[in-house]
């Protein structure tokens, strides 16, 4: 039986791994296409337009410069472009004057990195300057073709800068999609806690608590998606009209973080109550289930690329219910009720309410 369960878990992990890899490929499909197209364009410009016989550095520079995430992408593309150009230029000049060899390579690397640091460059800039100087020094150019490689590097960098301003819609959708993932997780945890309050299953409660404690990564991914979206609208002139929507999504990261934290506290208290056999009022379980349904509505709105205004009535209904429910006497139950009310306030902020407005929307708790 144990062997069968282990095999089933292994197969499930395998299927999950394949799905995750395919999802990663789909997510990066645009970046792959962008780099390959930029490499081809850079080669075409250097070879067919400028007539360079072997423009190796044009596609290399283009791919190197585009090999960054969307976050701060345009700045990094420019940084790497200049770094590549500096390294190639210094190496070409030195090899032209002193030839190629071990001491020449060491000197060129030191000179390229020193110039990069003098230009107040970032570490990426300095590294690219060093790497390109090594390649140029090791691969001696044909007579009369030394500075052609520097020109090729500039061509590749210029193509990369233009390509970096053309971004897909995916980074603009990701903040809403990731926010919906977070809210759906909140709903699932609330629904699980509601069931634990009814059946008191300790093993199930501990499993739910372990699941809740792994959710920090969801907020980090949401923050990364928000930062990426802001960077895209800042760097691409073609996406400026999306700036307002992306900024609004960035503003809901904090309330979502608070809602998830409060949900973890609620799940922990539900697990404690199950472990200690403390009775939890039936009304608290119903409130958690209703709040889970309201959270699903919020997630649905976010997935549909809308602010979750239409989920407000459901959240306000849960808020009213929390002020009318019959109170318990144990500490765990009181913590659960307090967390339900806090989560409602956090989710109301996602529907467009301010901090004070969302707090005022929750009636006083019953005495």
């Amino acid at each position: 039986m144990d062997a069968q369960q282990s095999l089933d878990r292994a197969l499930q992990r395998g299927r999950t791994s394949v799905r995750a890899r395919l999802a990663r490929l789909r997510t990066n499909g645009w970046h792959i296409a962008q780099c390959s197209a930029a490499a081809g364009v850079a080669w075409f410009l250097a070879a067919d337009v400028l007539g360079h016989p072997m423009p190796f550095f044009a596609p290399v520079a283009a791919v190197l410069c585009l090999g960054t995430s969307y976050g701060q992408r345009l700045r990094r593309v420019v940084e790497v472009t200049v770094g590549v150009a500096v390294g190639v230029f210094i190496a070409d000049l030195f090899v032209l004057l002193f030839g190629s060899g071990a001491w020449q390579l060491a000197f060129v690397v030191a000179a390229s990195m020193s110039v990069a640091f003098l230009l107040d460059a970032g570490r990426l800039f300095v590294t690219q300057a060093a790497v390109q100087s090594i390649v140029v020094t090791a691969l001696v150019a044909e007579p009369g073709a030394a500075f052609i490689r520097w020109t090729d590097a500039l061509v590749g960098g210029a193509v990369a800068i233009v390509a970096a301003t053309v971004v897909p819609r995916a980074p603009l959708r990701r903040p809403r999609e990731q926010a919906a993932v977070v809210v759906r997780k909140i709903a699932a945890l609330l629904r699980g806690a509601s069931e634990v309050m009814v059946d008191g299953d300790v093993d199930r409660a501990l499993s739910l608590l372990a699941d809740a404690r792994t959710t920090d990564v969801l907020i980090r991914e949401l923050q990364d998606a928000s930062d990426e979206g802001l960077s895209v609208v800042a760097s691409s002139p073609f996406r400026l009209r999306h700036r307002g929507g992306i900024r609004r999504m960035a503003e809901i990261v904090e309330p979502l973080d608070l809602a998830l934290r409060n949900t973890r506290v609620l799940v922990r208290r539900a697990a404690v109550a199950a472990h200690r056999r403390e009775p939890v009022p039936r009304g608290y379980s119903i409130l958690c289930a209703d709040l889970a349904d309201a959270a699903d509505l919020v997630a649905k709105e976010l997935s549909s690329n809308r602010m979750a205004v239409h989920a407000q009535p459901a959240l306000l209904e849960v808020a009213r219910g929390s002020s009318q429910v019959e109170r318990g006497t144990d500490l765990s139950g009181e913590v659960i009720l307090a967390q339900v009310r806090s989560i409602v306030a956090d989710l109301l902020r996602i529907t467009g309410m301010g901090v004070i407005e969302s707090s005022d929307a929750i009636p006083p708790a019953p005495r």
Side-chain angles (χ1 to χ4, degrees), residues 192 195-197 199-212 267 270-277:
E195 294 167 357
V196 165
M197 292 176 208
D199 59 31
D201 188 329
V202 177
D203 291 337
R204 184 177 183 179
L206 294 177
S207 177
L208 186 68
L209 180 58
D211 185 22
V267 169
V272 169
H275 175 70
R276 295 178 177 174
R277 303 299 178 187

Side-chain angles (χ1 to χ4, degrees), residues 27 29 32 45 76 90 108 136 144 170 176 203 299 310-311 316 331 346:
T27 300
I32 294 171
L45 292 175
R76 291 183 181 180
I90 291 176
V108 165
V136 172
R176 287 186 185 276
D203 291 337
H310 294 300
L316 292 173
L331 176 61
D346 296 331

Side-chain angles (χ1 to χ4, degrees), residues 42-308:
W43 180 279
F44 170 77
L45 292 175
D48 297 340
V49 177
L50 298 180
H52 296 176
M54 188 60 67
F56 169 77
F57 280 96
V60 168
V63 173
L64 283 174
C65 294
L66 285 172
T68 60
S69 66
Y70 292 113
Q72 295 183 332
R73 193 183 202 201
L74 193 58
R75 174 183 175 274
R76 291 183 181 180
V77 167
V78 173
E79 187 176 277
V80 175
T81 299
V82 177
V84 169
V86 166
V88 172
F89 178 78
I90 291 176
D92 260 340
L93 179 62
F94 196 82
V95 169
L96 183 65
L97 296 175
F98 301 103
S100 179
W103 74 268
Q104 290 96 330
L105 189 145
F107 184 88
V108 165
V109 171
S112 298
M113 295 182 72
S114 298
V115 170
F117 275 119
L118 287 175
L119 292 174
D120 194 25
R123 192 168 299 276
L124 195 61
F125 179 113
V126 175
T127 301
Q128 289 304 326
V131 170
Q132 299 308 313
S133 66
I134 291 172
V135 175
V136 172
T137 306
L139 302 176
V140 181
E142 297 178 1
F147 288 102
I148 288 179
R149 296 185 295 187
W150 180 62
T151 308
D152 291 339
L154 291 178
V155 169
V159 170
I161 291 173
V162 173
T165 65
V166 181
V167 296
R169 290 182 58 87
L172 305 177
R173 293 194 303 265
R174 269 197 67 211
R176 287 186 185 276
E177 292 172 351
Q178 187 60 34
V181 169
V182 174
V183 178
R184 278 194 290 268
K185 189 63 176 181
I186 291 171
L189 292 173
L190 288 170
R191 196 165 284 114
S194 173
E195 294 167 357
V196 165
M197 292 176 208
V198 174
D199 59 31
D201 188 329
V202 177
D203 291 337
R204 184 177 183 179
L206 294 177
S207 177
L208 186 68
L209 180 58
D211 185 22
R213 286 172 171 166
T214 64
T215 54
D216 278 341
V217 65
L218 297 179
I219 293 297
R220 288 198 297 271
E221 290 174 353
L222 174 59
Q223 185 65 65
D224 290 343
S226 175
D227 293 342
E228 183 176 83
L230 288 172
S231 181
V232 164
V233 297
S235 63
S236 176
F238 306 107
R239 300 298 185 188
L240 291 179
R241 67 183 185 278
H242 297 283
R243 180 172 296 176
I246 294 295
R247 290 193 182 281
R248 284 193 295 272
M249 288 306 303
E251 290 170 357
I252 72 171
V253 173
E254 180 193 1
L256 272 180
D257 186 19
L258 293 174
L260 192 53
R261 290 173 186 268
N262 286 323
T263 303
R264 284 199 295 265
V265 174
L266 185 151
V267 169
R268 184 167 64 246
R269 293 313 305 186
V272 169
H275 175 70
R276 295 178 177 174
R277 303 299 178 187
E278 296 176 359
V280 178
R282 174 66 177 169
Y284 293 6
S285 171
I286 295 173
L287 280 176
C288 283
D290 290 344
L291 182 53
D293 291 339
D296 281 334
L297 289 177
V298 174
K300 183 178 179 181
E301 289 293 297
L302 292 173
S303 296
S304 300
N305 200 28
R306 296 189 298 263
M307 296 303 289

